[in-house]
Amino acid sequence: MAFALTSSSSSTAISGSNFPRSTSSSDLKVPQIGSVRLAERHATVNLSRRRCAVKAVNADPKRNDSIVPLAATVAAPEVLEKEEAEDFQQLAKELDNASPLEIMDKALEKFGDDIAIAFSGAEDVALIEYAKLTGRPFRVFSLDTGRLNPETYRFFTEVEKHYGIRIEYMFPDAVEVQALVRSKGLFSFYEDGHQECCRVRKVRPLRRALKGLRAWITGQRKDQSPGTRSEVPVVQVDPVFEGLDGGIGSLVKWNPVANVDGKDIWNFLQAMNVPVNGLHSQGYVSIGCEPCTRPVLPGQHEREGRWWWEDAKAKECGLHKGNLKEDTAAQVNGIGNGAANANGTATESDIFNSQSLVTLSRTGIENLARLENRKEPWIVVLYAPWCRFCQAMEESYVELAEKLAGSGIKVAKFRADGEQKEYAKRELQLGSFPTILFFPKHSSKPIKYASEKRDVDSLMAFINALR
């Protein structure tokens, strides 16, 4: 089928075969990205005033195997006029306690062939398993940035064979990638941040893909990144990207596992004998591009394996920026959650609270740094209470303080966000939160803890080597 956009002066048709369906027909062909042809039949629909609802096409397994770039793709299932927009905010409340399987079934039922699962090649393979369990046809797409790990590419093939599907790969614009690399090199993100590269290799290809859909399904979970995803609903009108009909509100975003803990996702994958990315067995949890992803260590949050050279609050690539809280930009600049106080810090509840810990003020840390002959050595954490990585090490650091109580070593904390951040970066070697410093007994210069192992034993080994 085809879909024609008409105007008073001309009539243009763009062929719009959809993504390959999940039916495992043996004659499925790999989509030919970039083919465009004139449609032989035309259907004229006025989209100027009314929203469109799509009749499910689950009973029609026949597909056209060609595909055009999704920026120009216009699907053509049977179109029905719908007078009133769906209240997805109310639906999110109704489904908040529903199982991922129930949410997935509802999503596929509502949007038929105009919805697709976004698959990153990580534990979000659970989404494909849930879709399969509904018994409904489904579609899967993925963003091939050109810089994924070899294990991820092999995993894509394994998933296709396991489920009898064809994943539709979206690629970045070759001209944009060429311009970026020629002007800034292959690894510019280590110097000036990952956002530009992600915008070229991920965000723009995603935008093109979503223009051919009315809804998409993601693997976002609230516990993946509490600072940026803690309020993710199970379904929402996408606040950032546009869908097939164009304009704000034209795309619906489903997050079936939003309320599921990561450990429960893994229990599900093991119980259902679902194939997983080989990188997981090497310590990787959150998986992205090869240069920007590494295994996480004990005591680290899963997102700490992504863009590790940047501050905690920068660990989003832009695909889900609509779920960022309004204060996230301020947090990246060194101000925590909540309204800022007059001194530039925030109202977020403090952490590292223990009678065994010394809380240092700006004057206190300055005096400590100036001393050349201290009565005892100090270990100090530079932190921000909103930082999830600081929160992740709170238990081990408090335990360290209690273990060292009365030992002649002082354990302290200094809040280094807000207006203190520039001083901490200039004088205290602050790179990102948390930063741990050891002030020796007979030396004015502090020694920075270089490892990211923040368990008690690792911190004790560091202290014992210097005390």
Side-chain angles (χ1 to χ4, degrees), residues 16-21 57 63-67 70 73-77 113-114 139 168 212:
S17 67
N18 300 321
F19 288 127
R21 301 287 294 281
V57 292
R63 309 289 302 169
N64 184 332
D65 290 325
S66 66
I67 184 170
L70 289 183
T73 300
V74 185
D113 199 47
D114 283 312
R139 299 156 58 188
E168 328 152 54

mmCIF file with all atom_site columns, all heavy atoms in Angstrom, residues 16-21 57 63-67 70 73-77 113-114 139 168 212:
data_model
loop_
_atom_site.group_PDB
_atom_site.id
_atom_site.type_symbol
_atom_site.label_atom_id
_atom_site.label_alt_id
_atom_site.label_comp_id
_atom_site.label_asym_id
_atom_site.label_entity_id
_atom_site.label_seq_id
_atom_site.pdbx_PDB_ins_code
_atom_site.Cartn_x
_atom_site.Cartn_y
_atom_site.Cartn_z
_atom_site.occupancy
_atom_site.B_iso_or_equiv
_atom_site.pdbx_formal_charge
_atom_site.auth_seq_id
_atom_site.auth_comp_id
_atom_site.auth_asym_id
_atom_site.auth_atom_id
_atom_site.pdbx_PDB_model_num
ATOM 1   N N   . GLY A 1 16  ? 5.803  3.520  1.003  1.00 0.00 ? 16  GLY A N   1
ATOM 2   C CA  . GLY A 1 16  ? 6.023  3.412  2.439  1.00 0.00 ? 16  GLY A CA  1
ATOM 3   C C   . GLY A 1 16  ? 5.888  2.024  2.965  1.00 0.00 ? 16  GLY A C   1
ATOM 4   O O   . GLY A 1 16  ? 5.033  1.751  3.789  1.00 0.00 ? 16  GLY A O   1
ATOM 5   N N   . SER A 1 17  ? 6.681  1.107  2.513  1.00 0.00 ? 17  SER A N   1
ATOM 6   C CA  . SER A 1 17  ? 6.684  -0.186 3.175  1.00 0.00 ? 17  SER A CA  1
ATOM 7   C C   . SER A 1 17  ? 7.198  0.008  4.566  1.00 0.00 ? 17  SER A C   1
ATOM 8   O O   . SER A 1 17  ? 8.068  0.811  4.818  1.00 0.00 ? 17  SER A O   1
ATOM 9   C CB  . SER A 1 17  ? 7.585  -1.166 2.429  1.00 0.00 ? 17  SER A CB  1
ATOM 10  O OG  . SER A 1 17  ? 8.907  -0.772 2.512  1.00 0.00 ? 17  SER A OG  1
ATOM 11  N N   . ASN A 1 18  ? 6.660  -0.728 5.499  1.00 0.00 ? 18  ASN A N   1
ATOM 12  C CA  . ASN A 1 18  ? 7.036  -0.560 6.894  1.00 0.00 ? 18  ASN A CA  1
ATOM 13  C C   . ASN A 1 18  ? 8.230  -1.425 7.247  1.00 0.00 ? 18  ASN A C   1
ATOM 14  O O   . ASN A 1 18  ? 8.760  -2.149 6.429  1.00 0.00 ? 18  ASN A O   1
ATOM 15  C CB  . ASN A 1 18  ? 5.850  -0.906 7.791  1.00 0.00 ? 18  ASN A CB  1
ATOM 16  C CG  . ASN A 1 18  ? 4.671  0.001  7.478  1.00 0.00 ? 18  ASN A CG  1
ATOM 17  O OD1 . ASN A 1 18  ? 4.851  1.183  7.232  1.00 0.00 ? 18  ASN A OD1 1
ATOM 18  N ND2 . ASN A 1 18  ? 3.487  -0.566 7.469  1.00 0.00 ? 18  ASN A ND2 1
ATOM 19  N N   . PHE A 1 19  ? 8.628  -1.349 8.515  1.00 0.00 ? 19  PHE A N   1
ATOM 20  C CA  . PHE A 1 19  ? 9.694  -2.228 8.997  1.00 0.00 ? 19  PHE A CA  1
ATOM 21  C C   . PHE A 1 19  ? 9.285  -3.690 8.784  1.00 0.00 ? 19  PHE A C   1
ATOM 22  O O   . PHE A 1 19  ? 8.111  -4.025 8.820  1.00 0.00 ? 19  PHE A O   1
ATOM 23  C CB  . PHE A 1 19  ? 9.896  -2.033 10.498 1.00 0.00 ? 19  PHE A CB  1
ATOM 24  C CG  . PHE A 1 19  ? 10.537 -0.740 10.867 1.00 0.00 ? 19  PHE A CG  1
ATOM 25  C CD1 . PHE A 1 19  ? 9.946  0.095  11.805 1.00 0.00 ? 19  PHE A CD1 1
ATOM 26  C CD2 . PHE A 1 19  ? 11.744 -0.377 10.311 1.00 0.00 ? 19  PHE A CD2 1
ATOM 27  C CE1 . PHE A 1 19  ? 10.552 1.266  12.172 1.00 0.00 ? 19  PHE A CE1 1
ATOM 28  C CE2 . PHE A 1 19  ? 12.356 0.804  10.685 1.00 0.00 ? 19  PHE A CE2 1
ATOM 29  C CZ  . PHE A 1 19  ? 11.753 1.618  11.597 1.00 0.00 ? 19  PHE A CZ  1
ATOM 30  N N   . PRO A 1 20  ? 10.224 -4.603 8.658  1.00 0.00 ? 20  PRO A N   1
ATOM 31  C CA  . PRO A 1 20  ? 9.878  -6.019 8.589  1.00 0.00 ? 20  PRO A CA  1
ATOM 32  C C   . PRO A 1 20  ? 9.166  -6.445 9.853  1.00 0.00 ? 20  PRO A C   1
ATOM 33  O O   . PRO A 1 20  ? 9.500  -5.997 10.931 1.00 0.00 ? 20  PRO A O   1
ATOM 34  C CB  . PRO A 1 20  ? 11.245 -6.721 8.468  1.00 0.00 ? 20  PRO A CB  1
ATOM 35  C CG  . PRO A 1 20  ? 12.160 -5.665 7.946  1.00 0.00 ? 20  PRO A CG  1
ATOM 36  C CD  . PRO A 1 20  ? 11.646 -4.381 8.494  1.00 0.00 ? 20  PRO A CD  1
ATOM 37  N N   . ARG A 1 21  ? 8.186  -7.299 9.737  1.00 0.00 ? 21  ARG A N   1
ATOM 38  C CA  . ARG A 1 21  ? 7.434  -7.767 10.884 1.00 0.00 ? 21  ARG A CA  1
ATOM 39  C C   . ARG A 1 21  ? 8.127  -8.920 11.557 1.00 0.00 ? 21  ARG A C   1
ATOM 40  O O   . ARG A 1 21  ? 9.071  -9.483 11.044 1.00 0.00 ? 21  ARG A O   1
ATOM 41  C CB  . ARG A 1 21  ? 6.030  -8.211 10.429 1.00 0.00 ? 21  ARG A CB  1
ATOM 42  C CG  . ARG A 1 21  ? 5.259  -7.098 9.755  1.00 0.00 ? 21  ARG A CG  1
ATOM 43  C CD  . ARG A 1 21  ? 4.787  -6.071 10.781 1.00 0.00 ? 21  ARG A CD  1
ATOM 44  N NE  . ARG A 1 21  ? 3.805  -6.696 11.659 1.00 0.00 ? 21  ARG A NE  1
ATOM 45  C CZ  . ARG A 1 21  ? 2.541  -6.885 11.320 1.00 0.00 ? 21  ARG A CZ  1
ATOM 46  N NH1 . ARG A 1 21  ? 2.106  -6.474 10.151 1.00 0.00 ? 21  ARG A NH1 1
ATOM 47  N NH2 . ARG A 1 21  ? 1.695  -7.462 12.154 1.00 0.00 ? 21  ARG A NH2 1
ATOM 48  N N   . VAL A 1 57  ? -2.915 -4.223 12.142 1.00 0.00 ? 57  VAL A N   1
ATOM 49  C CA  . VAL A 1 57  ? -2.774 -5.019 10.922 1.00 0.00 ? 57  VAL A CA  1
ATOM 50  C C   . VAL A 1 57  ? -2.155 -6.360 11.242 1.00 0.00 ? 57  VAL A C   1
ATOM 51  O O   . VAL A 1 57  ? -1.461 -6.946 10.441 1.00 0.00 ? 57  VAL A O   1
ATOM 52  C CB  . VAL A 1 57  ? -1.921 -4.255 9.881  1.00 0.00 ? 57  VAL A CB  1
ATOM 53  C CG1 . VAL A 1 57  ? -2.662 -3.047 9.374  1.00 0.00 ? 57  VAL A CG1 1
ATOM 54  C CG2 . VAL A 1 57  ? -0.584 -3.848 10.479 1.00 0.00 ? 57  VAL A CG2 1
ATOM 55  N N   . ARG A 1 63  ? 4.127  -8.543 3.470  1.00 0.00 ? 63  ARG A N   1
ATOM 56  C CA  . ARG A 1 63  ? 4.867  -7.297 3.572  1.00 0.00 ? 63  ARG A CA  1
ATOM 57  C C   . ARG A 1 63  ? 5.552  -6.982 2.247  1.00 0.00 ? 63  ARG A C   1
ATOM 58  O O   . ARG A 1 63  ? 5.897  -7.871 1.491  1.00 0.00 ? 63  ARG A O   1
ATOM 59  C CB  . ARG A 1 63  ? 5.957  -7.399 4.658  1.00 0.00 ? 63  ARG A CB  1
ATOM 60  C CG  . ARG A 1 63  ? 5.478  -7.893 5.996  1.00 0.00 ? 63  ARG A CG  1
ATOM 61  C CD  . ARG A 1 63  ? 4.640  -6.869 6.689  1.00 0.00 ? 63  ARG A CD  1
ATOM 62  N NE  . ARG A 1 63  ? 5.405  -5.651 6.844  1.00 0.00 ? 63  ARG A NE  1
ATOM 63  C CZ  . ARG A 1 63  ? 4.864  -4.514 7.229  1.00 0.00 ? 63  ARG A CZ  1
ATOM 64  N NH1 . ARG A 1 63  ? 3.595  -4.432 7.481  1.00 0.00 ? 63  ARG A NH1 1
ATOM 65  N NH2 . ARG A 1 63  ? 5.619  -3.448 7.361  1.00 0.00 ? 63  ARG A NH2 1
ATOM 66  N N   . ASN A 1 64  ? 5.747  -5.702 1.978  1.00 0.00 ? 64  ASN A N   1
ATOM 67  C CA  . ASN A 1 64  ? 6.592  -5.288 0.877  1.00 0.00 ? 64  ASN A CA  1
ATOM 68  C C   . ASN A 1 64  ? 8.009  -5.236 1.416  1.00 0.00 ? 64  ASN A C   1
ATOM 69  O O   . ASN A 1 64  ? 8.264  -4.576 2.409  1.00 0.00 ? 64  ASN A O   1
ATOM 70  C CB  . ASN A 1 64  ? 6.140  -3.901 0.409  1.00 0.00 ? 64  ASN A CB  1
ATOM 71  C CG  . ASN A 1 64  ? 6.920  -3.446 -0.812 1.00 0.00 ? 64  ASN A CG  1
ATOM 72  O OD1 . ASN A 1 64  ? 8.062  -3.844 -1.000 1.00 0.00 ? 64  ASN A OD1 1
ATOM 73  N ND2 . ASN A 1 64  ? 6.295  -2.600 -1.615 1.00 0.00 ? 64  ASN A ND2 1
ATOM 74  N N   . ASP A 1 65  ? 8.942  -5.911 0.790  1.00 0.00 ? 65  ASP A N   1
ATOM 75  C CA  . ASP A 1 65  ? 10.268 -6.056 1.366  1.00 0.00 ? 65  ASP A CA  1
ATOM 76  C C   . ASP A 1 65  ? 11.201 -4.875 1.115  1.00 0.00 ? 65  ASP A C   1
ATOM 77  O O   . ASP A 1 65  ? 12.309 -4.848 1.618  1.00 0.00 ? 65  ASP A O   1
ATOM 78  C CB  . ASP A 1 65  ? 10.930 -7.333 0.841  1.00 0.00 ? 65  ASP A CB  1
ATOM 79  C CG  . ASP A 1 65  ? 10.256 -8.557 1.403  1.00 0.00 ? 65  ASP A CG  1
ATOM 80  O OD1 . ASP A 1 65  ? 9.820  -8.508 2.553  1.00 0.00 ? 65  ASP A OD1 1
ATOM 81  O OD2 . ASP A 1 65  ? 10.173 -9.556 0.679  1.00 0.00 ? 65  ASP A OD2 1
ATOM 82  N N   . SER A 1 66  ? 10.798 -3.901 0.318  1.00 0.00 ? 66  SER A N   1
ATOM 83  C CA  . SER A 1 66  ? 11.640 -2.726 0.148  1.00 0.00 ? 66  SER A CA  1
ATOM 84  C C   . SER A 1 66  ? 11.333 -1.730 1.253  1.00 0.00 ? 66  SER A C   1
ATOM 85  O O   . SER A 1 66  ? 10.288 -1.773 1.874  1.00 0.00 ? 66  SER A O   1
ATOM 86  C CB  . SER A 1 66  ? 11.375 -2.083 -1.217 1.00 0.00 ? 66  SER A CB  1
ATOM 87  O OG  . SER A 1 66  ? 10.063 -1.566 -1.260 1.00 0.00 ? 66  SER A OG  1
ATOM 88  N N   . ILE A 1 67  ? 12.292 -0.828 1.514  1.00 0.00 ? 67  ILE A N   1
ATOM 89  C CA  . ILE A 1 67  ? 12.080 0.164  2.562  1.00 0.00 ? 67  ILE A CA  1
ATOM 90  C C   . ILE A 1 67  ? 12.780 1.442  2.155  1.00 0.00 ? 67  ILE A C   1
ATOM 91  O O   . ILE A 1 67  ? 13.848 1.412  1.584  1.00 0.00 ? 67  ILE A O   1
ATOM 92  C CB  . ILE A 1 67  ? 12.602 -0.332 3.925  1.00 0.00 ? 67  ILE A CB  1
ATOM 93  C CG1 . ILE A 1 67  ? 12.276 0.675  5.015  1.00 0.00 ? 67  ILE A CG1 1
ATOM 94  C CG2 . ILE A 1 67  ? 14.082 -0.597 3.894  1.00 0.00 ? 67  ILE A CG2 1
ATOM 95  C CD1 . ILE A 1 67  ? 12.547 0.119  6.410  1.00 0.00 ? 67  ILE A CD1 1
ATOM 96  N N   . LEU A 1 70  ? 13.661 6.291  6.668  1.00 0.00 ? 70  LEU A N   1
ATOM 97  C CA  . LEU A 1 70  ? 12.510 6.558  7.507  1.00 0.00 ? 70  LEU A CA  1
ATOM 98  C C   . LEU A 1 70  ? 12.167 8.023  7.620  1.00 0.00 ? 70  LEU A C   1
ATOM 99  O O   . LEU A 1 70  ? 11.080 8.376  8.060  1.00 0.00 ? 70  LEU A O   1
ATOM 100 C CB  . LEU A 1 70  ? 12.738 5.962  8.894  1.00 0.00 ? 70  LEU A CB  1
ATOM 101 C CG  . LEU A 1 70  ? 12.682 4.435  8.868  1.00 0.00 ? 70  LEU A CG  1
ATOM 102 C CD1 . LEU A 1 70  ? 12.829 3.900  10.268 1.00 0.00 ? 70  LEU A CD1 1
ATOM 103 C CD2 . LEU A 1 70  ? 11.394 3.955  8.244  1.00 0.00 ? 70  LEU A CD2 1
ATOM 104 N N   . THR A 1 73  ? 9.529  7.959  5.149  1.00 0.00 ? 73  THR A N   1
ATOM 105 C CA  . THR A 1 73  ? 8.610  6.839  5.144  1.00 0.00 ? 73  THR A CA  1
ATOM 106 C C   . THR A 1 73  ? 7.238  7.258  5.645  1.00 0.00 ? 73  THR A C   1
ATOM 107 O O   . THR A 1 73  ? 7.132  7.861  6.690  1.00 0.00 ? 73  THR A O   1
ATOM 108 C CB  . THR A 1 73  ? 9.116  5.699  6.032  1.00 0.00 ? 73  THR A CB  1
ATOM 109 O OG1 . THR A 1 73  ? 10.368 5.266  5.528  1.00 0.00 ? 73  THR A OG1 1
ATOM 110 C CG2 . THR A 1 73  ? 8.153  4.526  6.044  1.00 0.00 ? 73  THR A CG2 1
ATOM 111 N N   . VAL A 1 74  ? 6.215  6.935  4.893  1.00 0.00 ? 74  VAL A N   1
ATOM 112 C CA  . VAL A 1 74  ? 4.853  7.166  5.350  1.00 0.00 ? 74  VAL A CA  1
ATOM 113 C C   . VAL A 1 74  ? 4.112  5.860  5.232  1.00 0.00 ? 74  VAL A C   1
ATOM 114 O O   . VAL A 1 74  ? 3.926  5.335  4.149  1.00 0.00 ? 74  VAL A O   1
ATOM 115 C CB  . VAL A 1 74  ? 4.157  8.252  4.505  1.00 0.00 ? 74  VAL A CB  1
ATOM 116 C CG1 . VAL A 1 74  ? 2.796  8.559  5.073  1.00 0.00 ? 74  VAL A CG1 1
ATOM 117 C CG2 . VAL A 1 74  ? 5.004  9.507  4.461  1.00 0.00 ? 74  VAL A CG2 1
ATOM 118 N N   . ALA A 1 75  ? 3.732  5.278  6.364  1.00 0.00 ? 75  ALA A N   1
ATOM 119 C CA  . ALA A 1 75  ? 3.082  3.978  6.354  1.00 0.00 ? 75  ALA A CA  1
ATOM 120 C C   . ALA A 1 75  ? 1.647  4.124  5.892  1.00 0.00 ? 75  ALA A C   1
ATOM 121 O O   . ALA A 1 75  ? 1.051  5.185  5.991  1.00 0.00 ? 75  ALA A O   1
ATOM 122 C CB  . ALA A 1 75  ? 3.120  3.366  7.750  1.00 0.00 ? 75  ALA A CB  1
ATOM 123 N N   . ALA A 1 76  ? 1.064  3.020  5.415  1.00 0.00 ? 76  ALA A N   1
ATOM 124 C CA  . ALA A 1 76  ? -0.274 3.119  4.886  1.00 0.00 ? 76  ALA A CA  1
ATOM 125 C C   . ALA A 1 76  ? -1.186 1.987  5.301  1.00 0.00 ? 76  ALA A C   1
ATOM 126 O O   . ALA A 1 76  ? -1.750 1.297  4.491  1.00 0.00 ? 76  ALA A O   1
ATOM 127 C CB  . ALA A 1 76  ? -0.214 3.179  3.367  1.00 0.00 ? 76  ALA A CB  1
ATOM 128 N N   . PRO A 1 77  ? -1.340 1.726  6.602  1.00 0.00 ? 77  PRO A N   1
ATOM 129 C CA  . PRO A 1 77  ? -2.397 0.825  7.006  1.00 0.00 ? 77  PRO A CA  1
ATOM 130 C C   . PRO A 1 77  ? -3.720 1.564  6.890  1.00 0.00 ? 77  PRO A C   1
ATOM 131 O O   . PRO A 1 77  ? -3.763 2.759  6.591  1.00 0.00 ? 77  PRO A O   1
ATOM 132 C CB  . PRO A 1 77  ? -2.060 0.531  8.470  1.00 0.00 ? 77  PRO A CB  1
ATOM 133 C CG  . PRO A 1 77  ? -1.311 1.735  8.912  1.00 0.00 ? 77  PRO A CG  1
ATOM 134 C CD  . PRO A 1 77  ? -0.573 2.235  7.718  1.00 0.00 ? 77  PRO A CD  1
ATOM 135 N N   . ASP A 1 113 ? 0.966  -2.070 13.566 1.00 0.00 ? 113 ASP A N   1
ATOM 136 C CA  . ASP A 1 113 ? 2.196  -2.029 12.779 1.00 0.00 ? 113 ASP A CA  1
ATOM 137 C C   . ASP A 1 113 ? 2.914  -0.687 12.845 1.00 0.00 ? 113 ASP A C   1
ATOM 138 O O   . ASP A 1 113 ? 3.957  -0.510 12.232 1.00 0.00 ? 113 ASP A O   1
ATOM 139 C CB  . ASP A 1 113 ? 1.867  -2.354 11.319 1.00 0.00 ? 113 ASP A CB  1
ATOM 140 C CG  . ASP A 1 113 ? 3.094  -2.782 10.546 1.00 0.00 ? 113 ASP A CG  1
ATOM 141 O OD1 . ASP A 1 113 ? 3.840  -3.629 11.059 1.00 0.00 ? 113 ASP A OD1 1
ATOM 142 O OD2 . ASP A 1 113 ? 3.312  -2.257 9.441  1.00 0.00 ? 113 ASP A OD2 1
ATOM 143 N N   . ASP A 1 114 ? 2.366  0.256  13.596 1.00 0.00 ? 114 ASP A N   1
ATOM 144 C CA  . ASP A 1 114 ? 2.968  1.584  13.677 1.00 0.00 ? 114 ASP A CA  1
ATOM 145 C C   . ASP A 1 114 ? 3.739  1.788  14.973 1.00 0.00 ? 114 ASP A C   1
ATOM 146 O O   . ASP A 1 114 ? 3.932  2.921  15.424 1.00 0.00 ? 114 ASP A O   1
ATOM 147 C CB  . ASP A 1 114 ? 1.907  2.668  13.539 1.00 0.00 ? 114 ASP A CB  1
ATOM 148 C CG  . ASP A 1 114 ? 1.488  2.841  12.095 1.00 0.00 ? 114 ASP A CG  1
ATOM 149 O OD1 . ASP A 1 114 ? 2.371  2.949  11.230 1.00 0.00 ? 114 ASP A OD1 1
ATOM 150 O OD2 . ASP A 1 114 ? 0.272  2.846  11.818 1.00 0.00 ? 114 ASP A OD2 1
ATOM 151 N N   . ARG A 1 139 ? 7.806  -5.313 15.674 1.00 0.00 ? 139 ARG A N   1
ATOM 152 C CA  . ARG A 1 139 ? 8.933  -4.829 14.881 1.00 0.00 ? 139 ARG A CA  1
ATOM 153 C C   . ARG A 1 139 ? 10.041 -4.351 15.813 1.00 0.00 ? 139 ARG A C   1
ATOM 154 O O   . ARG A 1 139 ? 9.781  -3.858 16.901 1.00 0.00 ? 139 ARG A O   1
ATOM 155 C CB  . ARG A 1 139 ? 8.471  -3.676 13.991 1.00 0.00 ? 139 ARG A CB  1
ATOM 156 C CG  . ARG A 1 139 ? 7.394  -4.082 13.010 1.00 0.00 ? 139 ARG A CG  1
ATOM 157 C CD  . ARG A 1 139 ? 6.560  -2.893 12.566 1.00 0.00 ? 139 ARG A CD  1
ATOM 158 N NE  . ARG A 1 139 ? 7.384  -1.858 11.947 1.00 0.00 ? 139 ARG A NE  1
ATOM 159 C CZ  . ARG A 1 139 ? 6.892  -0.656 11.628 1.00 0.00 ? 139 ARG A CZ  1
ATOM 160 N NH1 . ARG A 1 139 ? 5.645  -0.366 11.902 1.00 0.00 ? 139 ARG A NH1 1
ATOM 161 N NH2 . ARG A 1 139 ? 7.673  0.218  11.048 1.00 0.00 ? 139 ARG A NH2 1
ATOM 162 N N   . GLU A 1 168 ? 15.766 -3.801 12.032 1.00 0.00 ? 168 GLU A N   1
ATOM 163 C CA  . GLU A 1 168 ? 16.015 -2.724 11.089 1.00 0.00 ? 168 GLU A CA  1
ATOM 164 C C   . GLU A 1 168 ? 17.043 -1.783 11.673 1.00 0.00 ? 168 GLU A C   1
ATOM 165 O O   . GLU A 1 168 ? 16.804 -1.202 12.704 1.00 0.00 ? 168 GLU A O   1
ATOM 166 C CB  . GLU A 1 168 ? 14.761 -1.937 10.843 1.00 0.00 ? 168 GLU A CB  1
ATOM 167 C CG  . GLU A 1 168 ? 13.575 -2.784 10.931 1.00 0.00 ? 168 GLU A CG  1
ATOM 168 C CD  . GLU A 1 168 ? 12.452 -1.963 11.355 1.00 0.00 ? 168 GLU A CD  1
ATOM 169 O OE1 . GLU A 1 168 ? 12.240 -0.967 10.685 1.00 0.00 ? 168 GLU A OE1 1
ATOM 170 O OE2 . GLU A 1 168 ? 11.840 -2.297 12.340 1.00 0.00 ? 168 GLU A OE2 1
ATOM 171 N N   . GLY A 1 212 ? 8.734  7.620  11.079 1.00 0.00 ? 212 GLY A N   1
ATOM 172 C CA  . GLY A 1 212 ? 7.949  6.619  10.373 1.00 0.00 ? 212 GLY A CA  1
ATOM 173 C C   . GLY A 1 212 ? 7.049  5.813  11.288 1.00 0.00 ? 212 GLY A C   1
ATOM 174 O O   . GLY A 1 212 ? 6.487  4.803  10.880 1.00 0.00 ? 212 GLY A O   1
#
